Amino acid sequence: MEFKFGGSAENQKTVLGHPAGLFVLFFTEMWERFSYYGMRALLVLFLVSTVLDGGWEWTRADALVLYGWYTGLVYITPIIGGFIADKFMGYRRAVVLGAFIMTLGHAAMALEGMTSIFFYAGLTLLIIGNGFFKPNISSMVGQLYKSQGKEKDAGYTIFYMGINAGAFLGILLCGYVGEKVGWHYGFGLAGIFMFLGMLQFYFTQSIFGKIGLSPKQTEDFDDVIEDSIEKIEDNVEDVIEEAENSKVVKDRLFVIGIFSLFVIFFWWAFEQAGGSMTIFAADYTDRALEGSAATTFKIVNTIITVVPMIVITWVLAMLFKQTFKKYALANILLAASFVIIWGIVIWMLNREFQADTTEVPASWFSVLNSLFIILFAPLFSKVWESKFNPSGPIKFAIGLLLVGLGFAALAYGSAGIPDGAKTASVSLMYLVVAYFLHTMGELCVSPVGLSYVSKLAPVKLVSMMFGIWFTANFFANLLGGFTGSYMDPIMEEHGLTTFFLIFTIIPIAAAVIMFLLNPMLKRKMHGID
């Protein structure tokens, strides 16, 4: 009997029309994104907080440089982790190892009060663990489907929703606990769910059959390395020879290079979200709400928290129905994680409704990115499938334009802040508008860019082209952190508006250039839409 989906017989059972294994990966990835974004939301806030508030009282410049290095390196290690898993460990072992290393990283950060060594060890472990985890769980999603059609695309869309659900809950809950209760609790909370996610995956992994297993144990380690290097060299030589003989291949590689260059400008600006924009939220935004404004925020916060939780819990129940009999322990662990998360959600909402004063946590604004993605991704998907679908370069231009306009909103909102001011009370709506525009820009650039790299690259060089793409992300995040570190000097001499105008003008200028390059790039794409 031939199976419809990859994996074991148990994986042929479906949830929402997709193999049950997809949702095992969905929840594993959700908890990993919960841990990553939960910690990321707290990092800069913790570093710049005063010693009395439990922070390290770093300068904004130093905190933003460290943030840039951290967010940059998480794009480099997956290239290495993906190679190791592909050739030696297999995807499953890499996912479990990565999750375990990240759990240790969160535990170390929760103990930073004992010695600063724990903090730096924690960051290092998170970067390494991410390298093993991130590329390999995504690879397993693709192998669940035997066809390359819309069914696989839909599977990745569901998986992407899991990513954003985890990011949303991580920022919301870890951010709240970290800011309101204690930084250590926020860092530790992120690790608890990473650990439970790892156990759930480990005890359910037989559902994947042969998917994600390591290469044959009989192969000699040195032979594997030698064969891999020879294969890569042969592939590169074949592609170079093909490119020399084929103008089409050469042109398409050129387009990938241009996209990789321009995506640096986008992420350089966008990744200010966890850096200078978080500082703006903490120190320059009026987050204290009263009267009807406070009540409105409490109601909105409750709705945007509870509704996604109900939907995800419903999906969890359907997974239980299909897999509990065979994977009882894994399901019990997953259920335990949801009992804990519901407990924290109810405690948080009750605490806020009973409080006399309402102050929006600075980390809360980062939640808007995931929320807007969940709300608007289906709309963008419909537009891309319609007759109004613009070309790849135009999508990039729109994305760059939108991220620039988001910073224009912040520049306008900062106009009344005196030069060198350390605090102010600007309306929080400027941040809401900025996050909305940035997210709309992300939907034009991030999934689109990955799609075009896979479509334009020669089959033998797809992995290498993705490596170049992620390297561009590394430079963007690193440059974003270093640029953000000049926030105070620029603000003291020219004002905060000037600082945000830098992130307005450069992306918009890049958008104009990309728009002008559109006819030439379309020709060089040779029919790829």
Side-chain angles (χ1 to χ4, degrees):
M1 179 181 173
E2 188 176 350
F3 292 155
K4 179 181 179 182
F5 301 107
S8 68
E10 198 71 18
N11 195 46
Q12 308 313 304
K13 295 179 179 178
T14 60
V15 176
L16 297 175
H18 292 271
L22 173 66
F23 293 90
V24 173
L25 299 176
F26 174 99
F27 286 111
T28 306
E29 175 70 6
M30 190 183 89
W31 290 135
E32 188 276 330
R33 290 292 87 184
F34 181 101
S35 74
Y36 172 75
Y37 279 99
M39 197 288 296
R40 176 178 170 270
L42 292 174
L43 183 58
V44 170
L45 291 173
F46 163 72
L47 291 171
V48 300
S49 291
T50 63
V51 174
L52 288 175
D53 289 331
W56 279 10
E57 211 164 331
W58 277 23
T59 65
R60 293 169 180 174
D62 289 341
L64 291 170
V65 167
L66 180 63
Y67 172 81
W69 274 109
Y70 172 69
T71 57
L73 287 170
V74 296
Y75 281 100
I76 290 293
T77 51
I79 300 171
I80 303 166
F83 177 81
I84 292 173
D86 195 35
K87 302 303 177 186
F88 314 119
M89 294 181 66
Y91 299 141
R92 287 195 216 166
R93 289 180 182 174
V95 167
V96 173
L97 177 62
F100 182 67
I101 292 172
M102 283 189 283
T103 300
L104 294 178
H106 285 294
M109 292 189 72
L111 298 173
E112 63 77 31
M114 298 173 64
T115 170
S116 61
I117 294 172
F118 278 118
F119 178 81
Y120 294 113
L123 283 181
T124 303
L125 289 169
L126 287 171
I127 291 166
I128 294 170
N130 178 77
F132 282 106
F133 187 99
K134 190 169 179 61
N136 298 308
I137 194 165
S138 299
S139 299
M140 290 183 67
V141 173
Q143 294 183 28
L144 291 173
Y145 299 89
K146 294 185 176 181
S147 70
Q148 298 294 323
K150 292 182 179 179
E151 201 170 46
K152 178 182 279 191
D153 292 343
Y156 269 107
T157 301
I158 290 172
F159 185 69
Y160 191 59
M161 294 294 279
I163 291 172
N164 283 288
F168 174 82
L169 291 171
I171 295 167
L172 188 72
L173 301 180
C174 293
Y176 184 87
V177 170
E179 287 190 67
K180 302 285 188 177
V181 182
W183 305 110
H184 317 305
Y185 294 104
F187 292 140
L189 181 64
I192 289 171
F193 295 104
M194 184 71 265
F195 182 65
L196 289 170
M198 177 195 74
L199 292 178
Q200 181 250 169
F201 176 84
Y202 179 80
F203 289 116
T204 320
Q205 61 179 307
S206 64
I207 198 172
F208 301 112
K210 294 182 179 180
I211 294 173
L213 291 177
S214 60
K216 294 178 182 177
Q217 300 297 318
T218 52
E219 287 187 295
D220 182 73
F221 188 80
D222 292 333
D223 289 342
V224 172
I225 295 178
E226 188 176 335
D227 291 344
S228 300
I229 292 172
E230 286 178 1
K231 187 177 179 182
I232 291 170
E233 289 175 348
D234 289 343
N235 287 344
V236 173
E237 287 173 5
D238 288 347
V239 171
I240 290 172
E241 184 179 345
E242 189 180 347
E244 289 173 350
N245 298 326
S246 171
K247 186 176 184 300
V248 173
V249 173
K250 190 187 297 184
D251 284 351
R252 287 176 177 172
L253 289 174
F254 174 80
V255 174
I256 292 176
I258 294 295
F259 281 170
S260 298
L261 174 63
F262 276 80
V263 82
I264 292 175
F265 293 105
F266 180 84
W267 291 118
W268 164 76
F270 184 91
E271 281 297 336
Q272 296 302 310
S276 61
M277 287 176 70
T278 295
I279 289 172
F280 182 80
D283 297 337
Y284 299 100
T285 301
D286 184 8
R287 296 180 287 113
L289 304 178
E290 297 177 352
S292 61
T295 304
T296 301
F297 172 76
K298 290 174 183 177
I299 293 170
V300 169
N301 193 45
T302 300
I303 292 170
I304 67 174
T305 305
V306 171
V307 171
M309 280 295 298
I310 291 172
V311 172
I312 297 167
T313 305
W314 171 64
V315 173
L316 177 72
M318 288 192 290
L319 180 64
F320 275 15
K321 186 178 177 181
Q322 297 289 38
T323 62
F324 192 86
K325 187 175 181 180
K326 186 170 178 65
Y327 302 106
L329 178 57
N331 281 295
I332 289 169
L333 289 167
L334 190 54
S337 67
F338 268 77
V339 169
I340 296 169
I341 209 80
W342 268 111
I344 296 169
V345 164
I346 293 167
W347 165 79
M348 177 190 77
L349 296 174
N350 181 62
R351 191 172 187 259
E352 283 302 295
F353 269 103
Q354 297 207 351
D356 295 328
T357 59
T358 297
E359 184 178 64
V360 182
S363 57
W364 181 87
F365 294 94
S366 297
V367 167
L368 296 173
N369 176 237
S370 296
L371 178 65
F372 289 143
I373 284 178
I374 292 168
L375 291 176
F376 290 98
L379 174 63
F380 274 76
S381 178
K382 290 291 183 185
V383 173
W384 300 158
E385 292 173 2
S386 74
K387 63 180 180 180
F388 300 106
N389 181 35
S391 67
I394 293 297
K395 288 172 186 170
F396 264 67
I398 294 171
L400 287 161
L401 175 65
L402 288 170
V403 80
L405 290 176
F407 280 104
L410 294 179
Y412 179 76
S414 305
I417 300 175
D419 296 358
K422 293 298 181 185
T423 59
S425 295
V426 171
S427 169
L428 57 79
M429 288 309 298
Y430 291 110
L431 271 172
V432 174
V433 170
Y435 273 106
F436 174 76
L437 291 170
H438 287 185
T439 305
M440 298 305 100
E442 181 186 3
L443 288 168
C444 291
V445 171
S446 183
V448 170
L450 293 171
S451 175
Y452 274 97
V453 170
S454 67
K455 288 190 286 189
L456 291 167
V459 175
K460 293 178 179 178
L461 270 193
V462 169
S463 296
M464 186 174 292
M465 290 300 104
F466 273 117
I468 291 171
W469 182 262
F470 285 125
T471 302
N473 281 264
F474 161 73
F475 284 115
N477 280 269
L478 190 58
L479 288 169
F482 274 95
T483 310
S485 71
Y486 287 94
M487 183 178 186
D488 282 344
I490 292 171
M491 183 182 65
E492 286 169 9
E493 193 165 339
H494 304 289
L496 195 53
T497 293
T498 302
F499 174 77
F500 286 129
L501 279 175
I502 294 170
F503 296 99
T504 301
I505 294 167
I506 293 176
I508 291 177
V512 172
I513 295 170
M514 179 60 82
F515 181 80
L516 295 174
L517 289 174
N518 178 52
M520 181 265 287
L521 292 175
K522 280 183 71 175
R523 285 196 305 272
K524 289 185 176 293
M525 288 161 71
H526 295 282
I528 296 292
D529 295 324

